[in-house]
Amino acid sequence: MDARTLKIEAARAALEHVEDGMKLGIGTGSTAEEFVRLLAVRVGQGLKVIGVPTSERTAALCHELSVPLSTLDDHPRLDLVVDGADEIGPELSLIKGGGGALLREKIVAAASRRMIVIADASKVVAELGAFPLPIEVNRFGLRATEAAIDDTSAALGLNCERRLRMTGSEPFVTDGGHLIIDASFGRIRDARALSDALHAVPGVVEHGLFLGLADLAIVAAQSGIETITATRR
C-alpha cells in the first residue's frame, strides 16, 4: 500500500469510534482530510454529528463535502477529536503542527473528552525530535523571542537549529495571525521540561508538543492496523 492508502485505512478505523450525535473535533493535515472524506460519506448516509474544525483549511473541506460544522463557543465540550500527528512517541506523546494549525489543534484537543490520533507507521518513533518542533510565536518582538528560545534550549542542554517558516518569500501566517518557528532539537529526552520551558517564553503562543492529550493512536502499516493506547491519563 502507498502512503495515501495507509492514511485512508487509519482514518477508516478511526471512523468506527464515531457515534451518532457526537460533537466531533476534526483535525488538520493530509491524514485528517482522508478522515473528513470518509466522514462525509457516513453523514450522507444519515450519521448525525456536529464538527468543530481545527483550521480554516479543514473547515473549507467540510463545507465542500457537507459535513455540518459549529464552533467551540457554541460547543465548548466535545466528545472526540480525530487528528493526525507528525511524530508519535512514548506514552502517546506527540509532535504536531506541520500543517500550521497547532494552536487550534491543541485547544480542540484539550476541549475533547477523547483524542484519537491517526497516522501511518512512519510517524511512530522511539523518541521525539527528528521532526522539527513547530513553535507558534507572536509577530511582536520576534527576534527577542528567537533569542529566548535559544537561551531556553541551551539551559536544557539542547542544540537548537531553528528557522522561520516561510511561504515563498513571505513568512507563513497561522489562522490566528501568528508566525511559526520550526526548531530542530534532535532527540528530546525530556519533553515535559521542554514544554514547560517554552511556555515560559513570553513571545511563545503555543508549541507542537502534545503531552497527555491523546488516548489512542490508530497506526496503519503494511501488515495491518495497530492501536496504541496511553497507559496514563
Side-chain angles (χ1 to χ4, degrees), residues 4-232:
R4 185 184 177 196
T5 301
L6 291 174
K7 293 174 182 180
I8 291 171
E9 291 308 307
R12 194 187 314 280
L15 192 58
E16 296 178 5
H17 294 262
V18 177
E19 300 174 3
D20 199 63
M22 270 189 166
K23 292 170 286 186
L24 183 66
I26 305 175
T28 296
S30 58
T31 310
E33 287 175 3
E34 300 300 347
F35 175 78
V36 172
R37 293 185 179 96
L38 293 173
L39 177 65
V41 173
R42 289 283 308 280
V43 168
Q45 295 169 343
L47 178 70
K48 304 296 185 184
V49 294
I50 297 172
V52 173
T54 56
S55 67
E56 299 302 322
R57 170 179 162 183
T58 295
L61 181 61
C62 289
H63 284 305
E64 177 186 336
L65 298 177
S66 300
V67 174
L69 296 181
S70 187
T71 67
L72 274 184
D73 289 332
D74 290 333
H75 300 280
R77 295 289 182 267
L78 304 179
D79 299 301
L80 174 67
V81 59
V82 177
D83 205 348
D86 299 302
E87 285 189 342
I88 303 172
E91 295 296 338
L92 293 187
S93 57
L94 310 173
I95 286 182
K96 289 178 51 56
L102 63 100
L103 175 60
R104 294 189 183 188
E105 287 174 335
K106 192 172 282 190
I107 292 171
V108 170
S112 300
R113 185 171 58 85
R114 296 180 67 224
M115 179 182 188
I116 294 178
V117 180
I118 51 177
D120 63 84
S122 69
K123 300 299 192 295
V124 179
V125 298
E127 203 167 37
L128 297 177
F131 191 92
L133 178 67
I135 305 171
E136 191 160 341
V137 298
N138 200 291
R139 288 169 174 264
F140 178 81
L142 174 62
R143 299 294 173 243
T145 300
E146 289 176 326
I149 290 171
D150 291 344
D151 292 343
T152 293
S153 305
L156 292 174
L158 295 170
N159 294 319
C160 177
E161 296 181 6
R162 55 171 174 75
R163 64 176 180 83
L164 184 66
R165 189 178 297 184
M166 305 292 289
T167 301
S169 61
E170 297 296 324
F172 173 88
V173 180
T174 70
D175 288 343
H178 306 122
L179 306 179
I180 288 184
I181 294 170
D182 290 307
S184 296
F185 294 102
R187 291 186 294 176
I188 301 173
R189 290 192 166 87
D190 191 340
R192 179 59 65 186
L194 179 58
S195 172
D196 292 344
L198 289 174
H199 277 146
V201 175
V204 171
V205 178
E206 191 50 85
H207 58 69
L209 286 170
F210 282 51
L211 307 177
L213 288 170
D215 298 277
L216 179 71
I218 297 175
V219 178
Q222 297 294 341
S223 57
I225 295 292
E226 177 188 1
T227 58
I228 307 171
T229 304
T231 58
R232 57 175 174 77

